[in-house]
Amino acid sequence: MYLNRLILIGFIGADAETRVGSSEQKFAVFSVATKRSWKNADGGWESRTEWHRCLAFGKLGEFAASLREGAHVQVEGELRSRGSEEDGINHRVFECRVESILKLDRAVRGEAPDSGDDLEL
């Protein structure tokens, strides 16, 4: 049995971009930042942020294109890699092929209705 499942919970680094692939298929590209924090030997806190490139296709890509910088999301998908060569140097890029996106942001609260009681301090 094999399993290639990636679950990321983090924040969108920049507004998602819509692109068109070689087969004229539209997709959305966005980055998700995850962070890990730990106490070092001196008792101080250290942290490390990882950036994850994500690709979403089809209807999910249309939804992903609406994601804005700072949005809190849970992304699930498959880890993929692809290689390329540039100036004689081989590069390998790892990305998440997104299968689901859950927006974790809280709903924006409207202003409280006017109760008629104005307090002056």
Side-chain angles (χ1 to χ4, degrees):
M1 182 165 100
Y2 302 99
L3 178 65
N4 180 352
R5 194 79 180 149
L6 183 63
I7 300 173
L8 303 169
I9 298 176
F11 293 90
I12 301 292
D15 293 353
E17 297 177 26
T18 300
R19 298 193 182 162
V20 179
S22 58
S23 62
E24 300 301 315
Q25 181 182 20
K26 286 185 178 180
F27 61 98
V29 178
F30 59 97
S31 294
V32 174
T34 58
K35 185 176 178 180
R36 180 176 177 266
S37 298
W38 66 92
K39 256 190 183 178
N40 61 25
D42 299 330
W45 284 96
E46 293 187 36
S47 65
R48 178 183 176 134
T49 300
E50 295 286 342
W51 290 94
H52 310 275
R53 178 181 166 91
C54 300
L55 306 175
F57 296 86
K59 294 275 187 191
L60 189 58
E62 291 174 20
F63 170 74
S66 71
L67 295 173
R68 298 292 170 244
E69 179 178 353
H72 194 205
V73 294
Q74 175 181 315
V75 174
E76 292 189 44
E78 177 182 49
L79 183 63
R80 291 274 190 96
S81 69
R82 60 183 170 80
S84 64
E85 186 178 327
E86 189 175 309
D87 298 329
I89 299 172
N90 290 326
H91 297 275
R92 181 141 305 272
V93 175
F94 290 87
E95 34 195 38
C96 177
R97 290 288 182 104
V98 178
E99 296 170 8
S100 73
I101 301 171
L102 179 61
K103 232 178 147 183
L104 301 176
D105 291 328
R106 294 183 189 168
V108 177
R109 288 186 177 178
E111 292 185 17
D114 186 36
S115 64
D117 296 330
D118 291 318
L119 297 176
E120 291 184 18
L121 299 176

